[in-house]
Amino acid sequence: MNYLITGGAGFIGSSLANHLAYNGHSVTVMDDFSMGKRENIESNRIRLIEADVRDLDTLETIFENEQFDYIFLFAAIASVADSVERPIETHNINFETILQTLELARRTQKTLKRVIFTSSAAVYGDEPTLPKREESVIRPLTPYAVDKFAAEKYTLLYNNLYNLPTSAVRFFNVYGLRQNPASVYSGVLSIISKQFIKLLNHEKAEFNMFGDGKQTRDFVFINDVINALLLIAESNESKGEVYNVGAGKYTSLNEIIEVFEEVADVKLPINYRQARDGDIKDSYADISKLASLGYKPKYTINEGIKEYFTELLSHP
Ligand code: UD1
């Protein structure tokens, strides 16, 4: 099959691209390396186009010259904090380029099986009812969440109005190899694991816990996420639909640290800090809609962290 993955050098996009290439598919990655990294692309069979998704000429050339079976849209300003700093740029990248891409696909792609847009649990905002169902109250509170929700809606509209086969996903807290721990707003598991690697290298390490550590999240391992994405892309029933992608379980940060301590066999010093402004206490997904397609997460949190940590140790 022929795949196009925008933002395919980022954490989730590159994991999918590597998996597909490894399984013999033809994969084109479009990325400008603003967030993604060249070294995330592990297969020399992946074609890399270095370009910004706002570069319409390049997008048009790609779409006019090739027919894809599957298109995955990951390219985005991925940090909510960045979106608050740069709302206009966020809107251009996270919303307008998606609409442009959908329109290009409608015009040029004749054999397309699916376009998948990647949205976020951020669309649910701080409305407290749990677990989150796809039909739960939507309360986007940041430019990031507003644009993700609007782009998600347009993606599904293209299925319903123009017969372009599309689906969308709302990621909960994905973790795994290649997640970049560089910022304080990076995924918390990448930040925690970096501290454990330091400890194992006999370097000084500590973790800033914002709040009491009792806050919970639905942490889902990247391998399960890839399975979910492929399942949705290949199912007929998922056309025009949006799916939560999580593990359907919640775990507190305190529990997460315990699992890491057990796996690494070392204690992590914790600095308790004030909870972050606007931080939600708990979040987890109802994954029954995804389960109805045959999805069942393969990794418990213990198994996922163990696998993640083992992979990290062998990818210095
Ligand atoms: C996720 C998004 C965030 C968005 C929010 C809204 C990611 C990585 N983050 O945040 O951008 O605003 O959904 O739905 O997808 N924490 C610490 N110490 C740290 C880092 C984090 O204690 O060094 C805490 C946070 O305060 C939070 C928890 O860990 O309570 C999880 O943080 P994070 O990984 O950023 O995920 P979300 O809060 O779910």
Side-chain angles (χ1 to χ4, degrees):
M1 291 289 165
N2 197 15
Y3 290 80
L4 172 66
I5 305 180
T6 73
F11 162 43
I12 306 176
S14 66
S15 304
L16 177 67
N18 291 332
H19 173 86
L20 291 168
Y22 182 76
N23 283 291
H25 296 289
S26 156
V27 182
T28 301
V29 158
M30 181 173 175
D31 205 298
D32 67 348
F33 303 113
S34 53
M35 300 253 313
K37 292 190 198 144
R38 204 175 285 272
E39 60 266 31
N40 283 345
I41 304 290
E42 285 184 352
S43 165
N44 51 19
R45 302 190 37 220
I46 294 173
R47 177 167 65 140
L48 240 174
I49 298 173
E50 183 171 352
D52 186 319
V53 275
R54 287 170 293 185
D55 174 357
L56 253 187
D57 291 343
T58 301
L59 261 186
E60 220 162 348
T61 309
I62 297 173
F63 276 75
E64 273 164 5
N65 290 334
E66 207 161 333
Q67 294 293 311
F68 294 100
D69 296 296
Y70 296 98
I71 300 174
F72 284 88
L73 305 174
F74 288 96
I77 288 190
S79 155
V80 175
D82 272 0
S83 85
V84 174
E85 288 296 311
R86 299 182 280 155
I88 307 269
E89 207 179 335
T90 302
H91 187 66
N92 289 340
I93 297 172
N94 292 18
F95 176 74
E96 277 175 14
T97 68
I98 301 300
L99 184 53
Q100 298 278 15
T101 309
L102 291 167
E103 187 56 23
L104 271 178
R106 170 163 92 109
R107 210 178 70 213
T108 63
Q109 300 295 302
K110 303 298 171 211
T111 55
L112 193 65
K113 296 185 172 60
R114 199 66 53 92
V115 179
I116 303 264
F117 172 68
T118 57
S119 179
S120 163
V123 302
Y124 297 117
D126 61 359
E127 199 285 323
T129 313
L130 289 172
K132 293 299 176 194
R133 300 177 57 250
E134 287 81 356
E135 296 304 321
S136 291
V137 170
I138 298 295
R139 192 181 283 171
L141 300 171
T142 57
Y144 177 83
V146 169
D147 280 320
K148 281 290 182 192
F149 188 58
E152 185 189 290
K153 281 292 177 199
Y154 263 101
T155 299
L156 303 183
L157 267 189
Y158 266 68
N159 184 84
N160 305 342
L161 293 181
Y162 310 118
N163 236 358
L164 182 80
T166 61
S167 307
V169 294
R170 292 178 186 154
F171 290 133
F172 280 69
N173 294 65
V174 184
Y175 68 97
L177 198 66
R178 304 186 194 90
Q179 189 170 33
N180 187 345
S183 143
V184 284
Y185 295 106
S186 298
V188 70
L189 263 63
S190 68
I191 296 174
I192 293 174
S193 61
K194 186 178 164 191
Q195 300 311 309
F196 277 98
I197 297 283
K198 278 193 192 166
L199 288 176
L200 292 187
N201 289 330
H202 307 287
E203 292 167 35
K204 191 172 171 305
E206 60 184 15
F207 174 64
N208 289 323
M209 177 78 84
F210 301 126
D212 58 9
K214 291 185 184 150
Q215 65 265 49
T216 63
R217 294 290 184 274
D218 186 331
F219 294 105
V220 57
F221 190 49
I222 185 71
N223 295 12
D224 281 326
V225 169
I226 288 169
N227 284 340
L229 287 170
L230 296 178
L231 195 64
I232 293 165
E234 287 160 20
S235 145
N236 219 358
E237 217 181 302
S238 57
K239 257 190 234 168
E241 297 289 333
V242 61
Y243 292 85
N244 285 338
V245 175
K249 299 243 156 54
Y250 52 91
T251 313
S252 71
L253 287 192
N254 290 332
E255 289 169 309
I256 292 286
I257 304 259
E258 272 175 34
V259 178
F260 270 101
E261 289 185 335
E262 205 181 301
V263 170
D265 199 19
V266 55
K267 271 228 140 337
L268 177 64
I270 311 272
N271 267 329
Y272 285 90
R273 301 284 169 99
Q274 237 186 347
R276 274 181 181 163
D277 269 356
D279 208 17
I280 50 169
K281 181 89 178 84
D282 302 297
S283 152
Y284 88 101
D286 180 326
I287 55 166
S288 48
K289 189 170 175 188
L290 185 54
S292 75
L293 301 180
Y295 172 78
K296 195 173 180 299
K298 291 204 177 88
Y299 293 81
T300 61
I301 189 74
N302 289 52
E303 289 163 345
I305 288 178
K306 201 166 172 193
E307 174 86 12
Y308 176 28
F309 205 65
T310 311
E311 286 175 350
L312 267 178
L313 289 174
S314 59
H315 278 78

